[in-house]
Amino acid sequence: MGNYDNDAVDSEDVGSNSSAQTTIGDLIERRLGRRGALRGLVGAGAAVALGRELLGSTAMAQAAGPSSLTFKEVAHGLDRMHHIPEGYEAQVLIRWGDPVVAGAPAFDPANLTAAVQEKQFGYNCDFVGLHPLPAGSTANDRFLMVVNHEYTNPGLMFAGLGSGRAVNLKASKPQVEVEMAAHGGSVIEIAREGGAWKVVPDSKYARRITGTTPMQISGPAAGHDKLKTSADPTGTRVLGMLNNCAGGETPWGTWLTAEENFNGYFGGDAEKMPDAKAYKRYGISKATWYAWAQHVDRFNVEKEPNEPNRFGWIVEIDPYDPAATPIKRTALGRFKHEGCHHVVAKDGRVVVYMGDDERFDYVYKFVTSRPWNPNDRAANRNLLDEGTLYVARFNDDGKIEWLPLVHGQGPLTAENGFASPADVLINTRMAADLLKATPMDRPEDVEVNPVSGRVYVLLTNNTRRTEQQVNRANPMARNAHGHVIEVMPKDGDHTSTEGTWSIFIVGGKPGIDPGARYHRATSENGWLSCVDNCTFDSKGRIWIATDGAPTAAGIADGLYGADTTGYGRGLTRCFFQAPTGAEVCGPILTPDNGTIFLAIQHPGEDSGSTFEKPSTRWPDFKEGVPPRPSVIAITKKGGGQIGS
C-alpha cells in the first residue's frame, strides 16, 4: 500500500517472485470463463446474450433498482480537495502531529523532534480499527481507535530536501529519528457528542507505538539463530514495528497490525551476505529507500545481518492496556503482510486471512490449533502461537486448494533448506514457492463478508504479467487496474482446505480497458482502478478503497460501494474522492453504519511536490503548513446509515 509499495518501482523486482508458474492454455477462455460470467461480470466486449443471461433485460434491471446504494455518486476528478456525496459531511478527526498522549505539544512543522513526535499522531495513517468502550459494549458513540502509521515522506515533512524518493536518502540523523517516531501506530479514545466525533484528550488508553518501541517475538520462530542480533542474543526481543499497512482484530479484542514493505529500510551490500538468496526474495538490496542505514547500525545488513528477519510479521497489541508489550506472532509467517482479518470457524477455531503485497506473490490463511474461549480473555493470550499456516492455489477449474506450510511435509525438508518449523516461517515466501502456490497480482486486503461468509481477495495490479503468465485467477496481462476475487469455502467452513472461487470485478474503464468487468449499469463515475482495501457494512455490501488510480487511470483514489448479491451485485458506485497525491486507506463503519472512517494517506505525494510548495495543503490549507495525513469521519446530514 502507498506509493512506496510493490508496484511503484519498475526498474527492479524489489522482492517479486521470479518463480511464478506459467499456465498455458486458451487465453480467451481463461480471461472470462463461464463461471466468472455467470457470477455477475460483464466486460466491455462481452456479448449481449451474456449480459441478458446475467441480468435479464436492461429494463428488468432498472425496474428492480440495480443498486441498493442510493447516494448521488461523486464525479471522478483529481484536485487538491476531497469530495463526498451531496447530503453528507466530512470531519477531520485527527491529523499528523496532533496530540495523542498527555503532555504532547501542538503541531509545529518547523520544530519536529523525535521526542515530540513520539507523543503525537504519526505519519501516513493506514489501517483503522474500532474497539468499543467499555470492552464488549454494543454502543456506537465511544471507541478506542487504533491506527497504523505505514511510512514517511521526508520531502513533505522537512524543509529543504526536495521532491521524490531519492531525497529520502538526504535525511539527517535527527530527521531519521523523527521518521522512526512517526512510524508504528496510535491508540486514541474517540467519542461522538452532539453529532460530531472528537478525540478524548489525555485518555488513559492513549498510546503511541513507534519504530523503537520494545516488542516481544513469540511462536515457533522465537529464539531461532536467524533472529539473534548483537543487541538481542536471545532472538526474542526487537525494537519497533515498520511499514504497518493494513491490519485487523481478534475475537478477544486485540489489534493485529501487519508489517509490509520492511525491506526498504535496510541497506548495505546484501548481495555479498550469506543470506543473499533470502534477501533477494524479500527485496533487500543496496537500493535502500531511506537514510536509516546511514545513521542506525541495525538497519545496515553488513553490521546486523539478522535484523531484517525480525520484521515482516503480524504484531498483536492490546489496545485496552497501554502498558502491554506488543508481540510479533511468528506462527502467521513472514512476508509483506498487507492485512490480517479473522473469522471464527464453525468449530470455534480462529482463521486469519492474509495477502502478501507483491507482484506474483501469494494469498495465505492461518488456522489456530484450538478454539478461542469467549468467556476467558486471558485464555486466548497466546492462541496465535499455535496453528497451521496455508497458502492458496487457485485452479483454472474454479477450485481453490489451501496447501499447508508444515515442516517435514512435501518439499519443506532440511534438504531444501528448511531444517525446522522456524525456517519455514522465517522464509515463508520460499516455502510457498516450493509448494507451487498461485502467484497473484499483488494480493492486498483479504476479508470475509460477515453476512455471506464469502472471502474477498483484492488484487491491486501487476503490469509485469505477460500473456503467457495469464491464468483464470489472474486474467489480464499487464494488469494495470487490478481485480477482486470471491472465494467460497467448502460447506462454509473456513478451516477447510477446499473451496471454489470466481471473479467479482475487474478494474479499469469500460470501453477503454478491454479487460474491465463490472455490472452493466455501472456509471461513468462508478468504474475504479487499483483496488486496495475494503470493508463491509451490516447489509453485506462491500466498500472498496483504491491506491494508485491517479497514475494508472488519471483519476483520484477513492472509496466505492457495491452490492455483493442481487441485481446490483458488482455495481460499483463512487462515494469519495481523495485529494491529489493521496490514497484512501482503512475504511471502517461503526456497527450502526452511521459513520464511516477513512485514513487519507500521503496527501501531496505528487511529482515535484515539496514541503515548501506542496501540490495540496490538505486538510489545513494554511500557508507554511504542509499536507497532513489524517483520519476523517463521514456521516449523513441529519443522521442515517451510510450509503442508503
Side-chain angles (χ1 to χ4, degrees):
M1 189 182 290
N3 287 347
Y4 287 8
D5 62 21
N6 301 304
D7 210 26
V9 185
D10 286 327
S11 60
E12 58 177 324
D13 285 343
V14 290
S16 63
N17 185 1
S18 61
S19 71
Q21 302 296 313
T22 300
T23 306
I24 304 299
D26 185 339
L27 300 184
I28 301 297
E29 170 60 22
R30 283 165 154 179
R31 285 181 174 177
L32 188 55
R34 186 170 176 82
R35 172 179 288 274
L38 293 177
R39 292 209 63 84
L41 304 174
V42 176
V48 172
L50 178 60
R52 287 175 177 166
E53 180 180 18
L54 169 65
L55 292 174
S57 68
T58 303
M60 180 186 295
Q62 290 174 344
S67 177
S68 68
L69 295 162
T70 60
F71 62 86
K72 183 178 180 181
E73 284 193 271
V74 174
H76 281 164
L78 185 60
D79 58 41
R80 65 193 187 99
M81 307 289 290
H82 70 254
H83 298 274
I84 58 176
E86 292 180 11
Y88 287 80
E89 53 192 348
Q91 171 196 349
V92 176
L93 179 68
I94 189 167
R95 305 160 294 182
W96 165 49
D98 282 344
V100 170
V101 301
F107 179 63
D108 181 356
N111 292 287
L112 301 179
T113 68
V116 167
Q117 178 64 82
E118 287 176 351
K119 299 178 180 180
Q120 298 172 327
F121 195 65
Y123 205 76
N124 276 343
C125 41
D126 200 301
F127 172 77
V128 178
L130 297 176
H131 296 259
L133 277 178
S137 169
T138 58
N140 288 279
D141 57 3
R142 200 171 194 89
F143 299 93
L144 290 181
M145 175 179 281
V146 298
V147 183
N148 289 356
H149 300 298
E150 187 179 4
Y151 69 97
T152 48
N153 294 91
L156 294 173
M157 296 172 69
F158 307 109
L161 292 183
S163 176
R165 182 182 292 182
V167 307
N168 296 358
L169 301 176
K170 296 164 58 177
S172 66
K173 185 175 182 179
Q175 289 171 334
V176 165
E177 290 170 346
V178 172
E179 289 185 77
M180 294 175 70
H183 278 68
S186 294
V187 180
I188 58 175
E189 182 179 345
I190 65 170
R192 188 172 187 178
E193 297 178 1
W197 288 95
K198 72 170 188 177
V199 176
V200 177
D202 301 332
S203 169
K204 67 178 182 179
Y205 299 105
R207 183 180 188 184
R208 274 298 325 281
I209 296 98
T210 73
T212 59
T213 299
M215 300 189 178
Q216 178 186 344
I217 302 172
S218 74
H224 191 278
D225 285 346
K226 288 190 178 296
L227 296 186
K228 296 176 181 177
T229 65
S230 60
D232 173 33
T234 70
T236 61
R237 308 289 294 181
V238 63
L239 294 179
M241 59 187 195
L242 298 176
N243 212 261
N244 292 75
C245 195
E249 65 287 317
T250 65
W252 51 94
T254 56
W255 166 25
L256 299 178
T257 176
E259 294 184 306
E260 193 191 31
N261 295 310
F262 64 91
N263 59 297
Y265 300 87
F266 292 91
D269 197 345
E271 294 180 1
K272 294 182 179 180
M273 303 302 292
D275 282 341
K277 181 179 178 181
Y279 284 167
K280 183 177 181 180
R281 186 65 181 86
Y282 282 87
I284 298 164
S285 71
K286 287 191 290 187
T288 179
W289 300 351
Y290 290 99
W292 296 21
Q294 300 174 30
H295 304 297
V296 184
D297 284 352
R298 68 185 175 110
F299 294 104
N300 185 328
V301 297
E302 296 178 51
K303 298 178 179 179
E304 285 292 355
N306 286 340
E307 189 70 10
N309 298 331
R310 294 144 66 82
F311 295 88
W313 304 102
I314 295 297
V315 186
E316 183 177 13
I317 301 169
D318 188 349
Y320 295 101
D321 181 2
T325 300
I327 302 173
K328 297 196 177 186
R329 300 291 186 184
T330 64
L332 280 72
R334 175 175 167 265
F335 44 89
K336 294 183 180 180
H337 288 275
E338 167 71 18
C340 45
H341 291 275
H342 85 275
V343 62
V344 177
K346 294 179 179 180
D347 63 3
R349 286 185 290 169
V350 178
V351 180
V352 180
Y353 287 96
M354 300 169 286
D356 184 353
D357 183 9
E358 189 86 75
R359 290 176 295 268
F360 300 112
D361 260 293
Y362 307 123
V363 175
Y364 297 85
K365 75 175 180 181
F366 174 81
V367 182
T368 60
S369 294
R370 55 186 173 86
W372 82 291
N373 188 334
N375 301 313
D376 184 357
R377 191 170 188 257
N380 305 306
R381 188 180 309 277
N382 295 312
L383 191 63
L384 297 180
D385 282 345
E386 297 179 2
T388 303
L389 183 65
Y390 298 86
V391 65
R393 180 185 292 159
F394 293 82
N395 295 318
D396 275 2
D397 62 0
K399 295 181 180 179
I400 186 172
E401 300 175 72
W402 291 100
L403 312 172
L405 289 154
V406 176
H407 175 253
Q409 292 187 15
L412 305 184
T413 62
E415 291 77 11
N416 289 319
F418 300 97
S420 69
D423 291 316
V424 173
L425 297 170
I426 293 170
N427 289 314
T428 304
R429 281 184 166 183
M430 300 166 78
D433 292 343
L434 290 180
L435 293 187
K436 300 187 184 304
T438 304
M440 306 297 285
D441 287 350
R442 287 188 57 202
E444 296 223 40
D445 210 2
V446 186
E447 292 205 34
V448 178
N449 186 325
V451 175
S452 69
R454 293 179 174 179
V455 184
Y456 290 76
V457 181
L458 276 64
L459 302 154
T460 295
N461 53 37
N462 183 359
T463 55
R464 296 184 187 173
R465 186 175 293 275
T466 66
E467 291 283 354
Q468 291 70 37
Q469 292 171 315
V470 165
N471 53 49
R472 285 282 299 280
N474 301 277
M476 288 298 299
R478 296 170 292 282
N479 181 4
H481 303 289
H483 59 292
V484 179
I485 286 177
E486 185 181 59
V487 175
M488 289 68 73
K490 184 178 180 180
D491 300 324
D493 181 5
H494 290 273
T495 69
S496 175
T497 58
E498 301 176 29
T500 58
W501 66 267
S502 63
I503 290 181
F504 180 63
I505 60 170
V506 178
K509 185 174 183 178
I512 301 296
D513 300 300
R517 298 187 223 158
Y518 306 89
H519 189 292
R520 65 188 302 173
T522 301
S523 78
E524 63 181 4
N525 295 309
W527 62 272
L528 49 75
S529 177
C530 301
V531 298
D532 191 324
N533 269 211
C534 70
T535 194
F536 297 90
D537 61 27
S538 62
K539 299 178 181 179
R541 299 179 298 198
I542 192 171
W543 295 83
I544 299 172
T546 68
D547 171 22
T551 300
I555 60 174
D557 278 317
L559 183 74
Y560 298 77
D563 291 312
T564 56
T565 59
Y567 283 123
R569 172 182 161 82
L571 200 170
T572 49
R573 306 188 74 237
C574 184
F575 181 82
F576 178 84
Q577 291 271 275
T580 184
E583 67 169 288
V584 181
C585 305
I588 188 168
L589 291 131
T590 51
D592 63 357
N593 293 352
T595 302
I596 189 164
F597 295 98
L598 304 176
I600 309 304
Q601 189 185 93
H602 57 75
E605 189 184 88
D606 294 295
S607 177
S609 184
T610 66
F611 178 92
E612 293 84 1
K613 294 183 177 181
S615 57
T616 179
R617 294 190 183 276
W618 187 93
D620 297 313
F621 295 104
K622 294 181 180 179
E623 191 64 30
V625 178
R628 301 169 71 182
S630 304
V631 174
I632 65 172
I634 301 176
T635 54
K636 200 171 185 179
K637 292 180 179 178
Q641 294 190 341
I642 297 295
S644 58

